[in-house]
């Protein structure tokens, strides 16, 4: 029913003709309608996002062990404790190392896959699906495969088996912080899981590059390959690249699932969220320190995001066309 | 300048389309594809093998005997109620998807289309929440939800996740690009915003809704941190929490763990293969491309 109504109405002519009257008639209750539409969402947003943030800020100034209604105001002590805790500051270092690995590698791999798939003449949809499919897998499931089948410390893992073929000694992938082979495990896992998603974004952007640009470049004598990539494709992908890098950074800050499951009880390779989880939900249930850590992390993410936005010129306003 | 153009590949490929170059391209893509499929294969291989073969000294690509009986084993395992965790995940993922789509799309439509003088301020408040990833607010959210008494309940698992600033943002971007003429025509016919939304906008946006539903369903099914925080009691575990608990168990039962993993991935692979077209379109349309 409703679809036919819509189709009957597609002709724009009558709409234009009598635009003024119905518009005016509706403007009166636009405010009411606005709140009708956005109200439920905004109420939820206030209760489940803004209130927790405010509560967190409040808790971070209290001694709030095992309680969410503390009475003992301790000022900035929680912040001092958290910032002098080598576990927390170490987790910030861990995150920085992690981001330094994962952001450029995912960017390069997803762009590379997109360029390859874009050039395929047949079976394009098939290969796109193959690279995209890991998006369906969870970090927990992937951690299981990585930890228990590919990167086992013992002989039956695939990675050590392959190394064995070349006469290389076995590696204790996760159980030994030096050399830090665990980074290889973590980075390959995340690469596999998320590269396909960003490949789709790059594919969409590649399809939007007008072919005249390549034709013009060919007339100007640019060699297809590196030159056209460097001077046409890459600049044309700039907006997508910026968005992808921003999303990758935010996703890296939220890393929890694979670290929690891969590293288990290890004391190394702990990102901020795992530390906060252990502080607040673990045996100590220290909501004050957990909140202080969350506030510090939030501030850090805001600074990094704004900084990156400034550098790459990612204006939110530009997007709303 | 920006008018849509015929496929760009043709002339380029004709120029450089040497047989050798093409073969090289397909070899590269083929190798990459095999690497991407390998983890999926390992799940299947391990789940249908016997433990001594999985942990044996000599790597075997194929099980010497396929153990079909392994399929039911996770459901008989006493340590984790795997069947229950699957049901929990299904309920949580479906309700989260329905709720998120309803709440976020309505809000996004209001923000995109209904003239209200403070709409921009409201939109900036929504945008601000994008800067604060939900994962960072899990400590205070847990405090809030536990003080509401929602720990270990579907309410606690579902409701706090419905108000996604990101989903709202994506919907708003989409609605801004929705042809205005359709709605104006509907209003001429006497429909209010509410009627125009349900009878014109939604039916004509089913592709985008399908894409967003798929994305939300996948992230709902796969989410781990929040269900881990909320699921204190094993009866409220989702399938991801159940899988994770296998890893910390004292006894490691390899084929059971991998069979459980395979079963947990299967629904999503189906969703994926059936809804792929919309998913790809939807992601491409989301406005992320800037």
């Amino acid at each position: 029913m409703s679809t036919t109504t819509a189709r009957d109405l597609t002709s724009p002519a009558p709409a234009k003709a009598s635009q003024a009257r119905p518009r005016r008639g509706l403007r009166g209750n636009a405010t009411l309608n606005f709140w009708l539409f956005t109200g439920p969402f905004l109420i939820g947003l206030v209760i489940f996002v803004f209130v927790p943030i405010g509560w967190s800020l409040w808790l971070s100034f209290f001694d709030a062990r095992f309680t969410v209604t503390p009475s003992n105001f301790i000022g900035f002590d929680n912040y001092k404790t958290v910032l002098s805790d080598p576990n927390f500051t170490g987790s910030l270092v861990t995150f920085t190392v992690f981001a330094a690995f994962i952001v450029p590698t995912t960017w390069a791999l997803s762009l590379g896959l997109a360029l390859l798939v874009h050039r395929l003449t047949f079976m394009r949809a098939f290969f796109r699906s193959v690279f995209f499919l890991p998006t369906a897998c969870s970090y927990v499931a992937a951690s299981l495969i990585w930890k228990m089948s590919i990167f086992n410390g013992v002989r039956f893992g695939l990675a050590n088996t392959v190394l064995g073929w070349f006469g290389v000694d076995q590696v204790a992938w996760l159980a030994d912080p030096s050399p830090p082979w665990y980074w290889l495990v973590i980075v390959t896992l995340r690469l596999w899981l998320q590269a396909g998603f960003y490949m789709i974004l790059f594919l969409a952007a590649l399809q939007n590059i007008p072919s005249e640009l390549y034709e013009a470049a060919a007339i100007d004598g640019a060699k297809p390959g590196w030159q056209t990539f460097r001077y046409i494709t890459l600049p044309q992908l700039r907006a997508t690249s910026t968005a992808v890098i921003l999303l990758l950074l935010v996703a890296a800050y939220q890393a929890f699932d694979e670290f929690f499951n891969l590293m288990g009880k290890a004391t190394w390779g702990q990102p901020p969220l795992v530390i906060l989880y252990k502080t607040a939900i673990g045996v100590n249930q220290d909501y004050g320190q957990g909140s202080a850590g969350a506030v510090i992390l939030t501030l850090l993410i805001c600074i990094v995001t704004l900084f990156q936005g400034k550098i790459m010129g990612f204006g939110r306003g530009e997007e709303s066309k | 300048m920006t008018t849509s153009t015929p496929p760009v590949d043709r002339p380029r490929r004709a120029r450089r389309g040497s047989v050798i170059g093409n073969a090289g391209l397909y070899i590269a893509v083929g190798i990459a594809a095999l690497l991407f499929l390998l983890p999926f294969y390992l799940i299947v291989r391990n789940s249908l093998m016997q433990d001594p073969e999985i942990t044996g000294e000599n790597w075997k690509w194929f099980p010497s005997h396929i153990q079909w009986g392994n399929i039911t084993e996770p459901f008989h395992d006493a340590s984790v109620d795997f069947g229950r965790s699957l049901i929990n995940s299904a309920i949580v993922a479906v309700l989260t998807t329905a709720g998120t789509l309803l709440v976020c799309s309505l809000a996004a439509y209001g923000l995109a289309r209904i003239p209200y003088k403070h709409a921009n301020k409201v939109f900036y408040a929504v945008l601000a929440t994008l800067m604060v990833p939900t994962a960072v607010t899990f400590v205070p959210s847990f405090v809030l939800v536990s003080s509401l008494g929602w720990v270990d309940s579907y309410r606690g698992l579902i409701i706090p996740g419905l108000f996604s600033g990101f989903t709202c943002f994506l919907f708003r971007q989409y609605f801004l690009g929705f042809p205005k003429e359709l709605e104006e025509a509907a209003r001429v016919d006497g429909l209010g915003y509410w009627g125009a939304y349900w009878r014109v906008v939604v039916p004509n946006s089913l592709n985008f809704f399908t894409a967003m539903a798929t994305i939300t369903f996948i992230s709902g099914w796969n989410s781990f941190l929040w269900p881990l925080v909320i699921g204190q009691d094993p009866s409220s575990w989702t399938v991801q929490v159940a899988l994770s608990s296998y890893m910390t168990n004292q006894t490691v039962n390899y084929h059971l763990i991998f069979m459980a993993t395979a079963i947990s991935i299967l629904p999503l692979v189906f969703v994926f293969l059936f809804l792929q077209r919309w998913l790809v379109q939807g992601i491409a349309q989301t406005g992320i491309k800037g």
Side-chain angles (χ1 to χ4, degrees):
Chain A
M1 274 298 277
S2 39
T3 35
T4 51
T5 330
R7 218 161 281 147
D8 294 341
L9 294 168
T10 31
S11 60
K16 283 241 170 82
S18 54
Q19 210 171 29
R21 258 193 57 207
R23 272 250 176 131
R24 191 158 302 155
L26 279 166
R27 192 161 287 164
N29 56 19
T31 307
L32 178 73
N33 269 298
F34 179 84
W35 291 112
L36 190 72
F37 274 80
T38 58
F41 175 77
L42 292 175
I43 291 169
L45 204 65
V46 167
I47 295 177
F48 293 104
V49 181
F50 286 104
V51 166
I53 292 172
W55 198 337
S56 183
L57 207 59
W58 184 74
L59 278 176
S60 68
F61 295 109
F62 284 83
D63 177 17
R65 249 167 292 178
F66 300 106
T67 175
V68 293
T69 48
S71 50
N72 188 9
F73 183 83
I74 55 169
F76 282 94
D77 279 9
N78 280 327
Y79 289 87
K80 284 178 199 150
T81 320
V82 166
L83 284 174
S84 60
D85 176 7
N87 284 330
F88 185 76
T89 47
S91 76
L92 297 178
V93 175
T94 299
F95 161 74
T96 311
V97 174
F98 178 56
F101 274 112
I102 199 67
V103 174
T105 47
T106 314
W107 179 84
L109 180 67
S110 51
L111 177 58
L113 288 175
L115 289 170
L116 284 179
V117 171
H118 188 63
R119 280 178 53 191
L120 296 178
T121 33
F122 65 100
M123 286 175 68
R124 181 195 277 201
F126 169 78
F127 282 109
R128 193 191 60 197
S129 307
V130 168
F131 297 132
F132 191 34
L133 193 60
T135 309
C137 199
S138 72
Y139 279 97
V140 183
S143 305
L144 262 158
I145 309 163
W146 255 247
K147 187 179 186 176
M148 296 185 148
S149 202
I150 301 178
F151 291 106
N152 303 51
V154 282
R155 215 168 288 153
F156 57 86
L158 178 60
N160 275 332
T161 304
V162 172
L163 288 180
W165 294 342
F166 299 99
V168 180
D169 279 347
Q170 295 187 8
V171 177
W173 296 103
L174 294 165
D176 192 357
S178 59
W181 284 117
Y182 62 92
W183 282 121
L184 184 75
V185 183
I186 289 166
V187 169
T188 50
L189 187 154
R190 194 169 263 251
L191 265 180
W192 179 72
L193 269 180
Q194 62 178 15
F197 181 84
Y198 296 104
M199 173 197 74
I200 298 291
L201 294 184
F202 278 124
L203 267 178
L206 281 173
Q207 270 151 19
N208 285 337
I209 300 179
S211 61
E212 290 90 6
L213 284 176
Y214 289 103
E215 282 154 19
I219 292 166
D220 288 350
K223 293 191 195 73
W226 173 247
Q227 281 194 345
T228 44
F229 176 73
R230 168 78 181 75
Y231 293 105
I232 296 174
T233 314
L234 213 51
Q236 288 287 312
L237 293 178
R238 196 185 146 88
T240 308
S241 281
T242 311
V244 165
I245 290 170
L246 189 80
L247 290 172
L248 283 172
L249 258 181
V250 172
Y253 258 117
Q254 300 191 62
F256 176 84
D257 302 10
E258 77 267 43
F259 284 91
F260 184 85
N261 286 298
L262 284 175
M263 308 310 290
K265 295 187 175 68
T267 48
W268 57 90
Q270 305 278 306
L273 274 186
V274 175
I275 297 292
L276 289 183
Y277 174 84
K278 287 179 175 169
T279 311
I281 322 279
V283 276
N284 287 329
Q285 299 231 342
D286 196 327
Y287 299 120
Q289 279 186 29
S291 297
V295 171
I296 294 171
L297 195 56
T298 309
L299 286 177
L300 218 59
I301 292 178
C302 290
I303 293 169
V304 170
T305 314
L306 287 174
F307 189 63
Q308 200 234 352
K310 270 261 156 33
I311 290 180
M312 316 269 308
F314 183 71
R316 298 241 180 241
E318 288 172 289
E319 282 192 330
S320 45
K321 283 175 224 164
Chain B
M1 282 291 272
T2 51
T3 47
S4 63
T5 49
V8 57
D9 323 85
R10 276 279 158 81
R12 254 200 304 163
R13 201 170 290 122
R15 202 166 48 238
R16 65 201 321 254
S18 68
V19 178
I20 299 169
N22 236 346
L25 174 66
Y26 274 89
I27 290 170
V29 176
I31 291 172
L34 283 180
L35 282 174
F36 268 70
L37 289 175
L38 182 65
F40 287 111
Y41 174 69
L42 290 177
I43 300 177
V44 177
R45 163 192 174 270
N46 292 350
S47 63
L48 295 172
M49 261 184 175
Q50 287 176 299
D51 275 14
E53 252 191 342
I54 301 173
T55 56
E57 253 185 63
N58 297 314
W59 178 265
K60 282 186 176 168
W61 283 107
F62 303 101
S64 58
H65 175 74
I66 295 179
Q67 304 275 97
W68 292 113
N70 289 356
I71 292 174
T72 55
E73 238 182 272
F75 299 99
H76 300 311
D77 177 49
S79 65
V80 175
D81 192 346
F82 185 68
R84 175 75 191 262
S85 76
L86 279 177
I87 295 170
N88 286 341
S89 279
I91 292 173
V92 169
V94 168
L95 292 183
T96 303
T97 306
T100 307
L101 252 55
L102 180 72
V103 171
C104 293
S105 71
L106 280 175
Y109 185 76
L111 288 169
R113 277 290 201 267
I114 304 179
Y116 170 58
K117 57 181 173 180
H118 298 303
N120 264 345
K121 286 174 196 159
V122 175
F123 179 58
Y124 286 132
V126 175
L127 273 188
T129 67
L130 290 183
M131 302 280 280
V132 187
T134 39
V136 173
T137 59
F138 81 92
V139 176
S141 297
F142 173 70
V143 168
L144 177 85
V145 166
S146 65
S147 64
L148 287 171
W150 288 4
V151 171
D152 286 330
S153 73
Y154 287 130
R155 278 174 305 185
L157 282 166
I158 295 166
I159 295 175
L162 299 184
F163 310 97
S164 158
F166 194 57
T167 310
C168 177
F169 174 71
L170 295 182
F171 264 111
R172 179 181 169 274
Q173 295 297 101
Y174 169 80
F175 287 137
L176 287 176
F178 189 86
K180 252 194 171 130
E181 294 79 18
L182 280 181
E183 292 154 78
E184 275 162 6
R187 283 187 229 152
V188 174
D189 271 15
L191 288 174
Y193 287 107
W194 191 253
Y197 179 74
W198 287 110
R199 294 171 67 177
V200 177
V201 178
V202 173
N204 284 289
S205 308
L206 288 183
N207 280 353
F208 192 76
F209 272 82
T210 311
M212 295 308 288
T214 317
I215 295 171
T216 318
F217 184 84
I218 290 173
S219 65
W221 183 270
N222 283 343
S223 74
F224 175 62
L225 175 57
W226 186 247
L228 177 75
V229 167
I230 288 295
Q232 309 272 310
D233 185 75
S235 68
S236 65
W237 282 358
T238 63
V239 71
Q240 307 300 337
V241 181
L243 285 184
S244 171
S245 80
Y246 283 128
M247 272 189 271
T248 49
N249 268 359
Q250 294 298 319
T251 50
V252 178
N253 195 342
Y254 281 91
H255 69 268
L256 182 140
I257 294 178
F258 280 96
M259 182 52 80
T261 311
I263 294 171
S264 81
I265 295 175
L266 214 57
L268 287 198
V269 171
F270 273 117
V271 167
F272 224 71
L273 295 180
F274 282 121
L275 299 177
Q276 241 223 79
R277 199 157 53 88
W278 290 281
L279 193 55
V280 171
Q281 278 176 6
I283 292 175
Q285 271 178 7
T286 45
I288 288 174
K289 51 185 197 267

